């Protein structure tokens, strides 16, 4: 019997759902996996299933790309009949992508319990689509699992009953520890030995959708590249915008890669002198790896990476990036320590909590 229907849709979901599926199976909780198809390229999706040993999805919605409204609406329309036929006791969603909110909303309206893994993170920046997804998903979730302690205060501020919240640690870091020994060495991914290099990832709309911001970022990256080679696996959104704005020449000299698989990215980060990023997850992965991270955003929803980890918030301003880069090169960057419960056992804590919680959930199905 399927008790929990788990949802994954976009690249940052896959490394979170992998250990959750494994822990649910180990705990004897009947689970199925649904892929919304928000990310659909082999490089953005399939390779993660293969590398992380995620079972093939039981359901695939194949929604693909679209505006936020179209993508969210398509997931909702296609998810509802699956939910009706599977009839799970709960729907489990992870992270903050459009698929997360879309499936949570359908489940809540059908009276099916919602479990949110990675709840309570807040950037307090409502211009980020992910922030809207986080706030709304948490409001309609019945059981909320958090990765860091700051999340509970955020949830309580928004009126969430703390009895529904459990601090379990970070499932993405479960995946990292489980796969570190299999990480592909950077030299293999790069096809060359670079004694020292930086890895850059860039895809947030706030950094790559505005031509002036993107031009300034690429220019300062070009400068950095002259003293420390910069490796850039290019997200499809960023590549498309670079072409659209006519910025291809600004990439000259960088070590460009297509979007890389999980094990390649893990190796690239582990062996890097530093990482520059606007990703959420990479701020956490670099903290777990002890590699300095400069975050090219004004804010972060993951403050423990700043207070305990290796992360420094730099923003998109070239002067600030230049200064932070010089500091890392001179001083080696933040050493950091591993935050509480980022110990490889978060998914097992989740599975045990669900096992204790599920039987008490009365069906509250609505028409
Ligand atoms: C989404 C998530 C973001 C996450 C990011 C990681 C939301 C709101 N955003 O943003 O939180 O950090 O994924 O990648 O859910 N595309 C492809 N191939 C794919 C997937 C997308 O070419 O497999 C293209 C799309 O056509 C689109 C662009 O990439 O033009 C952006 O994809 P989309 O899923 O809309 O948002 P992301 O920017 O990837």
């Amino acid at each position: 019997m399927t008790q929990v229907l788990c949802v994954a849709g976009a690249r940052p979901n896959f490394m979170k759902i992998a250990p959750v599926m494994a822990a649910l199976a180990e705990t004897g909780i009947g689970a199925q996996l649904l892929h919304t198809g928000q990310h659909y390229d082999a490089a953005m999706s399939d390779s993660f299933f293969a590398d992380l040993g995620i079972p093939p999805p039981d359901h695939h919605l194949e929604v693909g790309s679209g505006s936020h409204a179209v993508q969210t609406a398509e997931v909702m329309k296609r998810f509802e009949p699956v939910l009706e036929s599977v009839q799970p006791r709960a729907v489990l969603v992870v992270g903050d992508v459009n698929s997360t909110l879309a499936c949570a909303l359908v489940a809540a309206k059908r009276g099916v319990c919602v479990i949110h893994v990675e709840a309570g993170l807040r950037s307090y920046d409502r211009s980020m689509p992910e922030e809207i997804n986080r706030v709304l998903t948490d409001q309609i979730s019945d059981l909320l699992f958090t990765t860091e302690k700051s999340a509970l205060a955020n949830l309580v501020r928004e009126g969430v009953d703390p009895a529904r919240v459990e601090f379990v640690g970070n499932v993405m870091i479960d995946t990292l520890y489980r796969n570190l020994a299999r990480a592909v060495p950077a030299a293999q991914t790069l096809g060359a030995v670079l004694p020292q290099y930086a890895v850059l990832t860039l895809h947030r709309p706030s950094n790559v959708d505005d031509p002036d911001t993107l031009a300034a970022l690429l220019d300062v990256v070009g400068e950095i590249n002259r003293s420390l080679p910069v490796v850039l696996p290019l997200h499809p959104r960023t590549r498309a915008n670079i072409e659209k704005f006519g910025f291809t020449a600004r990439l000259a000299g960088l070590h460009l890669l297509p979007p890389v698989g999980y094990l390649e990215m893990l190796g690239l980060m582990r062996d890097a002198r530093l990482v520059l990023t606007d990703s959420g997850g990479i701020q956490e992965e670099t903290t777990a790896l002890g590699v300095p991270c400069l975050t090219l955003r004004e804010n972060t929803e993951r403050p423990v990476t700043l207070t305990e980890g290796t992360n420094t918030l730099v923003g998109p301003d070239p002067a600030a990036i230049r200064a932070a880069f010089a500091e890392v090169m001179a001083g080696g960057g933040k050493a950091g320590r591993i935050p509480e419960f980022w110990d490889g056992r978060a998914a097992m804590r989740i599975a045990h909590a669900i096992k204790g919680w599920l039987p008490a959930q009365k069906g509250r199905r609505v028409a």
Side-chain angles (χ1 to χ4, degrees):
M1 189 189 127
T2 301
Q3 295 167 294
V4 182
L5 180 55
C6 298
V7 173
R11 185 171 64 177
N13 290 166
F14 304 134
M15 47 291 245
K16 295 170 193 165
I17 211 69
V20 172
M21 293 297 294
L24 291 176
E26 205 174 310
T27 323
I29 299 172
Q32 287 191 5
L33 179 61
L34 176 137
H35 188 336
T36 65
Q38 176 175 343
H39 284 177
Y40 45 85
D41 281 353
M44 299 289 283
S45 174
D46 303 357
S47 80
F48 291 81
F49 278 73
D51 285 349
L52 301 177
I54 307 172
D58 301 280
H59 311 273
H60 203 306
L61 303 183
E62 295 180 355
V63 295
S65 304
S67 69
H68 284 265
V70 166
Q71 195 171 59
T72 308
E74 274 307 319
V75 174
M76 291 180 69
K77 273 166 62 182
R78 297 180 193 198
F79 182 56
E80 186 168 46
V82 178
L83 186 64
E84 281 310 285
S85 81
V86 176
Q87 303 249 335
R89 301 286 303 279
V91 166
L92 182 149
V93 295
V94 297
D96 56 15
V97 301
N98 289 339
S99 302
T100 308
L101 173 62
C103 293
L105 193 49
V106 172
K109 293 270 184 102
R110 301 294 313 186
V112 177
C113 291
V114 177
I115 302 171
H116 187 202
V117 174
E118 200 188 84
L121 296 180
R122 295 291 180 270
S123 65
Y124 290 97
D125 175 359
R126 293 270 171 118
S127 70
M128 281 179 84
E130 294 81 3
E131 182 76 353
I132 308 288
N133 294 341
R134 292 181 198 119
V135 169
L136 297 179
T137 302
D138 287 338
Q139 278 298 320
I140 54 176
S141 290
D142 298 279
L143 183 59
L144 300 91
F145 292 113
T146 60
T147 53
E148 59 171 276
K149 283 192 168 156
S150 68
L152 177 61
N154 295 331
L155 291 168
V156 169
R157 203 172 296 133
E158 292 167 13
V160 175
D161 179 357
R164 295 179 178 188
V165 182
E166 188 161 337
F167 172 44
V168 290
N170 196 324
V171 290
M172 210 178 58
I173 305 306
D174 291 8
T175 297
L176 184 145
Y177 290 143
R178 201 155 301 163
N179 290 286
L180 200 49
R182 299 168 59 224
V184 177
Q188 194 175 321
T189 305
L190 295 169
V193 177
L194 296 181
Q196 288 203 335
Y197 62 88
V199 180
L200 167 69
T201 81
L202 211 54
H203 77 279
R204 290 250 98 75
S206 59
N207 280 337
V208 306
D209 286 2
D210 171 60
D212 292 340
T213 309
L214 183 58
L217 280 169
L218 292 177
D219 288 346
V220 72
V221 166
E223 270 175 47
I224 290 174
N225 187 54
R226 286 196 279 279
S227 47
L228 182 68
V230 174
V231 175
L232 172 57
L234 254 189
H235 188 281
R237 169 192 285 277
T238 312
R239 177 178 290 283
N241 285 349
I242 286 172
E243 283 164 14
K244 184 167 86 189
F245 301 147
F247 289 168
T248 310
R250 289 187 147 96
L251 299 173
L254 304 183
H255 291 253
L256 286 188
L257 296 173
V260 292
Y262 182 79
L263 297 173
E264 284 81 12
M265 191 63 195
L266 199 51
L268 282 177
M269 291 191 290
R270 180 194 59 192
D271 301 343
R273 174 84 190 266
L274 91 147
V275 172
L276 302 116
T277 192
D278 60 7
S279 152
I282 288 175
Q283 297 172 52
E284 299 182 329
E285 290 169 331
T286 45
T287 277
L289 290 167
V291 173
C293 177
L294 303 182
T295 294
L296 310 179
R297 289 173 41 190
E298 307 274 13
N299 49 55
T300 179
E301 60 287 333
R302 293 160 159 91
V304 77
T305 61
L306 301 175
T307 54
E308 296 184 27
T310 59
N311 190 18
T312 306
L313 209 51
V314 179
D317 173 48
I321 297 171
R322 218 173 274 127
F325 171 69
E327 218 174 293
V328 173
M329 294 308 278
K334 280 163 102 168
R337 62 169 186 263
I338 307 291
E340 187 179 356
F341 280 177
W342 291 23
D343 57 359
R345 299 199 35 83
M348 277 313 284
R349 287 188 197 100
I350 287 173
H352 286 304
I354 292 175
K355 196 164 188 161
W357 170 86
L358 260 186
Q361 304 314 305
K362 305 268 180 293
R364 52 177 182 85
R365 301 189 63 78
V366 290

